[in-house]
Amino acid sequence: ALATILNSPLAAAWLNVLAEPARGGYHRYLGWTMARLPLPRDWQSAARPLAEVGMRCTAGEAIPAAELGTLVLASYGIREADIAALLQWTGS
């Protein structure tokens, strides 16, 4: 479930805002950076669907970014419109 979140555009955008810049346009995801990524408030409800998608990825299935993004946003209870500016600003 956590790997699904970490591979989502939402996590990329959030972490890219916080992470220290590195050479070549990369970012340094240090321990303190990762610790700032919030988890869904209702983890018990969110974990199962997130884990199912993670298992599909582990099995080699390519999950469309739109599907992954929609699922992760739903697990946090937020709408895409709420984070559109963040996604656009970070290029995620």
Side-chain angles (χ1 to χ4, degrees):
L2 182 57
T4 302
I5 291 174
L6 291 174
N7 283 291
S8 73
L10 176 62
W14 178 272
L15 293 170
N16 284 343
V17 168
L18 298 175
E20 295 177 17
R23 187 178 299 173
Y26 293 97
H27 295 87
R28 291 185 181 99
Y29 299 122
L30 304 173
W32 71 266
T33 310
M34 300 305 291
R36 296 286 181 220
L37 179 68
L39 294 177
R41 186 178 310 247
D42 186 4
W43 182 254
Q44 295 300 322
S45 296
R48 181 177 300 275
L50 291 168
E52 288 173 2
V53 169
M55 299 284 274
R56 289 169 48 198
C57 290
T58 301
E61 183 178 341
I63 307 298
E67 180 183 342
L68 182 60
T70 300
L71 174 65
V72 172
L73 288 175
S75 73
Y76 282 95
I78 55 179
R79 300 171 302 145
E80 188 170 346
D82 297 333
I83 63 155
L86 174 67
L87 293 174
Q88 182 179 15
W89 185 60
T90 60
S92 298

